Amino acid sequence: MKLQSLLQKKYGWVVLLVFFALLILLSAQIHTRLDLTKEKRYSLSPSTRQLLFNLKGDIEIQVLLTGKLSAGFRKLKNATNELLENYRSYSNGHLHFKFVQPGEGMPDSIKLQLYDSLVRIGIKPFNNQLQENDDAQTERLIFPSAIVSYNGKMIPVDLMSGKSGMDEESTLNYSEALLEFKFDDAIQKITTTQFPVVAYAIGNGEPLNPTVNDLFNTLRNNYHFGLFDLRNGILDADTIKALLIVKPEQAFTEDEKIKIDQYILQGGNVLWFIDKLYAEFDSLLRTKSDFVAYDKGLNIDDQLFKYGVRINPDLLQDLNSAKQPLVVGNLGSQPQIQRIPFPYYPLLSAPENHPISRNLDQVLSVFPSSVDTVEANGIKKTILLASDTNSRKLGTPAIVSLRSIRSEGDLQTFTDSKVPVVVLLEGKFKSLYANRFTKAMQDSVEKLTGVPFMPKGINEARQIVAGDADIVTNVVTQSNGPLPMGTQQFENYQFANREFLLNCLDYLVGNRGILETRNKEFTLRLLDKNKVKANKTFWQLINIALPIIIILLLGIIIQWYRKKTYTNI
């Protein structure tokens, strides 16, 4: 009645129009969503909202996943669209996106050139199978990727994520859970103007050959990267945010250890990728017989022990391992080669829920050693990567053999489970040299390090200790040269080694809030396909006929009520 009386006034319609206009303007300014999903599927993390709020320029995103898609990829496309819509609402107008189909309307020759250019910048094509009907299937090449552009720079984003052995539905669900992290990571990297300094230590036989080609390229593309000579340089934690020590072959001197020690106590972060024993597959091929893996004598055991870990003098094997081409017999005069699991190449995974390794595919290791944690007051220890459930440790003298499993009895010795290989240490560390130096010796330390000797840390630091250096090296082949990190020769699959390394560095020196978005995990609630097929007609009738019947019943009831009311009047 009040609305009717308002409309009867002279300027009632004007007041009503002004009210609705103000309501529309207000709703455009206030962004509110109610996420009722258990895993908060449609909610952005605080770090994402902060990243979008701080954008200073326009971000352009082209999503290449469009066109005719199978049901699973349509779901991934819709999830991407919903996420980017949410991003746009928090970006103060700085984020724009659109869906484009690569090569649409182009001649085939130009389209193929475009596809080649996309592959060269890291965008992977995918053969999508479409179920046209119960009997017929067609295939279509799609690009489940996006391109993020900013100020003339461009970063590809692979929308697909997965773990080896996953089916397509699980892979797409897993991919959906990591969309926020992937777009956050790309936006963070493309808008950053000052990159942390990451140094690669040299002077103790660390590789400077093609086996670290992918490592160096990865570091150059994501950080301010350079080489650091431990023998002659001074480590400054204010300048060098992280130090990588990868596969040293020569013993560390006490002066070098003091430099590393005092750098850590200043708050510097160190990644140790150490091969404690000498064990290489090339040695097996050269000698064509067994050999004994020996300790390299790197002289860092006491230092790592003080910080809270011990790399054991053993070789870790696991039945869940990568494959190697091995001779399994002879046919006439020709050797028969077959790719079989090689237990010296365990596939590592995350035993604990940590953002560095959570939702990560398996990581390839090569002749790793196990790592134990030891008592270190005030230091938090987290196992980032460990073996699977069927492992064993070969103690020194460890005999390396092409045929390390020869009988059923050998299989029964794989009784260890979740053996640590990579450990994260966090806290204020104590010096290995505390209470060991005289005043004169402490003064000499200052000449080495550039700062007065510190017996304990003044700032929190982080260290990642890995009992395998080959996690971050790459295979070099005669035909293809250096392969990507985590890729085996003849194996058309790349494990998550590079992603693991980048996650480690992001946690040590990057935006850890963005890394936390890796913790999202969506529950896959699947329909029973057999029941769906059996009850297809029934549910089609329910969805089509039931709404019509309800509307007709409502119309009959309303008509009856109106007739009854006016009859009584």
Side-chain angles (χ1 to χ4, degrees), residues 269-287:
N269 305 296
V270 180
L271 295 95
W272 306 80
F273 290 95
I274 305 296
D275 283 346
K276 183 174 178 61
L277 302 183
Y278 179 85
E280 300 288 341
F281 187 74
D282 288 345
S283 298
L284 281 175
L285 297 182
R286 283 196 302 269
T287 61

Side-chain angles (χ1 to χ4, degrees), residues 152-171:
K153 296 183 291 184
M154 181 177 65
I155 290 182
V157 177
D158 187 0
L159 304 182
M160 291 286 287
S161 304
K163 298 181 181 180
S164 54
M166 273 188 172
D167 58 27
E168 183 175 307
E169 281 181 311
S170 299
T171 297

Side-chain angles (χ1 to χ4, degrees), residues 9-230:
K9 292 183 179 180
K10 185 175 181 181
Y11 298 105
W13 282 104
V14 176
V15 172
L16 195 62
L17 287 173
V18 171
F19 171 76
F20 279 114
L22 290 173
L23 188 63
I24 291 170
L25 287 173
L26 187 64
S27 66
Q29 298 298 317
I30 299 174
H31 305 284
T32 304
R33 299 183 71 182
L34 186 62
D35 190 350
L36 299 178
T37 58
K38 183 179 180 180
E39 62 267 36
K40 298 301 177 186
R41 181 183 290 250
Y42 304 105
S43 299
L44 296 182
S45 66
S47 59
T48 301
R49 293 198 294 268
Q50 186 67 31
L51 175 69
L52 296 170
F53 181 78
N54 291 333
L55 289 177
K56 303 301 181 184
D58 286 351
I59 296 281
E60 301 287 343
I61 300 177
Q62 287 186 324
V63 184
L64 309 182
L65 183 62
T66 188
K68 196 172 184 180
L69 304 168
S70 62
F73 279 100
R74 282 201 306 272
K75 185 173 180 292
L76 181 61
K77 174 192 172 182
N78 293 336
T80 305
N81 183 67
E82 289 173 357
L83 179 73
L84 294 179
E85 286 281 6
N86 213 358
Y87 272 41
R88 182 162 57 188
S89 66
Y90 282 98
S91 69
N92 295 321
H94 287 303
L95 188 140
H96 314 277
F97 73 93
K98 60 182 177 180
F99 285 77
V100 296
Q101 187 171 340
E104 186 177 20
M106 294 181 178
D108 288 345
S109 58
I110 299 177
K111 187 184 294 186
L112 289 175
Q113 292 177 11
L114 173 63
Y115 289 175
D116 287 340
S117 65
L118 291 175
V119 171
R120 281 196 295 271
I121 65 172
I123 293 177
K124 302 173 185 176
F126 186 89
N127 276 325
N128 184 210
Q129 291 187 345
L130 298 171
Q131 190 75 38
E132 298 289 352
N133 50 54
D134 290 342
D135 301 318
Q137 274 190 346
T138 60
E139 281 193 357
R140 177 175 170 266
L141 196 67
I142 63 172
F143 292 87
S145 301
I147 300 173
V148 179
S149 304
Y150 176 78
N151 279 353
K153 296 183 291 184
M154 181 177 65
I155 290 182
V157 177
D158 187 0
L159 304 182
M160 291 286 287
S161 304
K163 298 181 181 180
S164 54
M166 273 188 172
D167 58 27
E168 183 175 307
E169 281 181 311
S170 299
T171 297
L172 291 170
N173 187 72
Y174 179 80
S175 302
E176 189 179 336
L178 287 179
L179 283 176
E180 183 178 349
F181 166 73
K182 289 196 170 187
F183 278 109
D184 282 7
D185 188 55
I187 293 171
Q188 169 78 15
K189 283 181 168 61
I190 204 168
T191 57
T192 297
T193 55
Q194 293 184 336
F195 295 92
V197 176
V198 175
Y200 179 88
I202 59 173
N204 295 87
E206 293 86 357
L208 292 171
N209 53 35
T211 63
V212 289
N213 180 76
D214 195 14
L215 171 63
F216 281 14
N217 287 338
T218 299
L219 294 175
R220 288 192 191 101
N221 292 337
N222 294 278
Y223 299 95
H224 190 69
F225 169 67
L227 303 179
F228 181 85
D229 188 345
L230 269 176

Side-chain angles (χ1 to χ4, degrees), residues 245-453:
I245 301 174
V246 178
K247 206 168 188 172
E249 300 292 340
Q250 301 165 11
F252 286 77
T253 65
E254 291 303 316
D255 284 354
E256 292 170 332
K257 290 167 65 176
I258 290 169
K259 289 181 180 181
I260 297 171
D261 178 84
Q262 294 297 291
Y263 168 73
I264 292 169
L265 269 57
Q266 294 173 43
N269 305 296
V270 180
L271 295 95
W272 306 80
F273 290 95
I274 305 296
D275 283 346
K276 183 174 178 61
L277 302 183
Y278 179 85
E280 300 288 341
F281 187 74
D282 288 345
S283 298
L284 281 175
L285 297 182
R286 283 196 302 269
T287 61
K288 297 182 180 179
S289 64
D290 302 350
F291 72 89
V292 177
Y294 59 85
D295 196 310
K296 293 181 178 180
L298 297 175
N299 190 33
I300 54 174
D301 290 349
D302 56 347
Q303 189 164 11
L304 294 176
F305 192 91
K306 183 69 177 181
Y307 300 148
V309 292
R310 176 179 57 232
I311 301 178
N312 296 312
D314 59 25
L315 290 179
L316 177 64
Q317 292 186 314
D318 196 279
L319 296 181
N320 179 24
S321 54
K323 295 179 180 179
Q324 271 290 96
L326 300 174
V327 177
V328 295
N330 289 282
L331 184 61
S333 59
Q334 297 296 320
Q336 298 300 299
I337 298 175
Q338 184 178 341
R339 296 188 56 75
I340 61 175
F342 193 55
Y344 292 106
Y345 287 10
L347 298 177
L348 308 177
S349 55
E352 297 186 23
N353 186 17
H354 192 278
I356 289 178
S357 47
R358 180 177 171 83
N359 283 334
L360 194 70
D361 194 4
Q362 292 174 318
V363 172
L364 173 65
S365 63
V366 177
F367 293 107
S369 295
S370 64
V371 177
D372 287 338
T373 58
V374 296
E375 182 64 30
N377 292 331
I379 303 302
K380 180 183 177 183
K381 309 172 191 74
T382 307
I383 299 171
L384 297 178
L385 292 177
S387 65
D388 209 334
T389 53
N390 296 106
S391 310
R392 72 175 179 182
K393 293 178 281 187
L394 303 178
T396 52
I399 299 176
V400 180
S401 171
L402 282 173
R403 293 289 186 180
S404 61
I405 303 175
R406 301 179 186 273
S407 66
E408 188 72 26
D410 287 336
L411 287 173
Q412 293 175 4
T413 63
F414 286 78
T415 56
D416 292 325
S417 178
K418 306 295 182 185
V419 179
V421 176
V422 184
V423 176
L424 167 69
L425 307 173
E426 301 175 275
K428 292 183 179 180
F429 295 89
K430 293 180 181 178
S431 173
L432 171 65
Y433 302 96
N435 304 320
R436 289 170 54 177
F437 282 173
T438 64
K439 180 65 170 67
M441 294 170 71
Q442 291 181 16
D443 292 340
S444 67
V445 169
E446 188 170 352
K447 296 178 182 178
L448 281 173
T449 63
V451 294
F453 174 76

